[in-house]
Amino acid sequence: MTLIGEQLDPTLGVRFNEAGLVCAVVQQYDTREVLMVAWMDAEALRRTVTTGAGTYWSRSRQEYWVKGATSGHTQRVVELRRDCDGDTLLVLVDQTDGACHTGDRTCFDAGLIARRDPT
Amino acid sequence: MTLIGEQLDPTLGVRFNEAGLVCAVVQQYDTREVLMVAWMDAEALRRTVTTGAGTYWSRSRQEYWVKGATSGHTQRVVELRRDCDGDTLLVLVDQTDGACHTGDRTCFDAGLIARRDPT
């Protein structure tokens, strides 16, 4: 991937929390579906940028995981952004098949809590 | 707002972290822009559902904040979802003007880190 602007800043302007993690919102780049939310530490961020494959830190398993390494449901990263205070990432990807471990396209498909008419 | 299904479950199926918070990804309901990420505790979630206005817990100020209460850049909540393991919310809103305190439409507008050609 092509780094923009802050190549000289090894943190890429990202502020990790007290556990050394940053929240990553993963969005399909063209349809703009929010696919999932995961966490990265500095090394997962570095691997994501250098390989172009969405790579995260599993808080439950305490290990790195390349999304789709087992399932084949990989994420090709197209764009990486951070928010205004640097404590959240937005990862725009091209997701192969479902992003959710349930087989759903997104991790939010089955989780409707409330809605109302937008008008 | 109309609650779906789990009205009898006061937690709405949400799993709060050890600090009593859940990460909330806020998305414009029609354009699907990811506007911002904030945090809710159970009371902020209850207020969001009952008032239909995006309401969060400020970790820095340690207080509730109704988005736009000061700026006028309010969020009318259209849909509320949780993810497959219940530890993240997706809040679809109709955002008035900019969601970011900088005046930008989203908190991610200025934060491009890396990109590549999607094809």
Side-chain angles (χ1 to χ4, degrees):
Chain A
M1 303 186 70
T2 306
L3 286 168
I4 311 293
E6 312 213 20
Q7 293 89 331
L8 299 178
D9 176 357
T11 71
L12 302 173
V14 175
R15 290 168 50 219
F16 297 92
N17 70 12
E18 60 286 348
L21 300 174
V22 65
C23 175
V25 178
V26 186
Q27 184 178 31
Q28 174 68 26
Y29 82 96
D30 47 4
T31 64
R32 297 189 177 270
E33 298 158 285
V34 174
L35 297 168
M36 54 180 264
V37 170
W39 294 80
M40 292 186 187
D41 66 0
E43 173 63 15
L45 176 58
R46 190 192 67 76
R47 293 186 190 185
T48 296
V49 170
T50 54
T51 67
T55 306
Y56 308 96
W57 175 254
S58 170
R59 296 172 299 169
S60 55
R61 299 192 306 272
Q62 291 282 300
E63 63 182 23
Y64 295 103
W65 55 291
V66 178
K67 176 68 184 170
T70 306
S71 65
H73 301 180
T74 51
Q75 292 174 345
R76 185 176 192 277
V77 180
V78 169
E79 197 171 291
L80 187 62
R81 292 181 171 272
R82 65 166 182 275
D83 75 349
C84 53
D85 59 2
D87 69 354
T88 309
L89 296 173
L90 181 62
V91 188
L92 287 104
V93 304
D94 194 7
Q95 170 74 52
T96 301
D97 300 327
C100 187
H101 73 287
T102 63
D104 284 345
R105 174 66 180 170
T106 92
C107 291
F108 298 93
D109 288 2
L112 182 61
I113 293 177
R115 89 166 15 139
R116 66 169 161 186
D117 193 320
T119 57
Chain B
M1 304 187 72
T2 306
L3 286 168
I4 312 293
E6 312 215 19
Q7 291 89 333
L8 298 178
D9 176 357
T11 71
L12 303 172
V14 176
R15 290 168 51 218
F16 297 92
N17 69 13
E18 61 286 348
L21 300 174
V22 65
C23 176
V25 178
V26 186
Q27 184 177 32
Q28 173 68 27
Y29 81 96
D30 47 4
T31 64
R32 296 190 177 268
E33 298 158 284
V34 174
L35 298 168
M36 54 181 263
V37 170
W39 295 80
M40 290 186 188
D41 66 0
E43 173 62 17
L45 175 58
R46 190 193 66 77
R47 294 186 191 186
T48 295
V49 170
T50 55
T51 67
T55 306
Y56 308 96
W57 174 254
S58 170
R59 295 172 301 168
S60 56
R61 298 193 306 274
Q62 292 282 299
E63 63 181 23
Y64 296 102
W65 55 291
V66 178
K67 176 68 184 172
T70 305
S71 65
H73 300 180
T74 50
Q75 291 173 345
R76 185 176 191 276
V77 179
V78 168
E79 197 171 291
L80 188 62
R81 292 180 171 272
R82 65 167 182 275
D83 75 350
C84 52
D85 59 2
D87 69 354
T88 308
L89 295 173
L90 181 62
V91 189
L92 287 102
V93 305
D94 193 9
Q95 169 73 51
T96 301
D97 300 329
C100 187
H101 73 286
T102 63
D104 283 346
R105 175 65 180 170
T106 92
C107 291
F108 298 94
D109 287 2
L112 182 61
I113 293 177
R115 91 167 12 140
R116 66 170 162 187
D117 191 323
T119 58

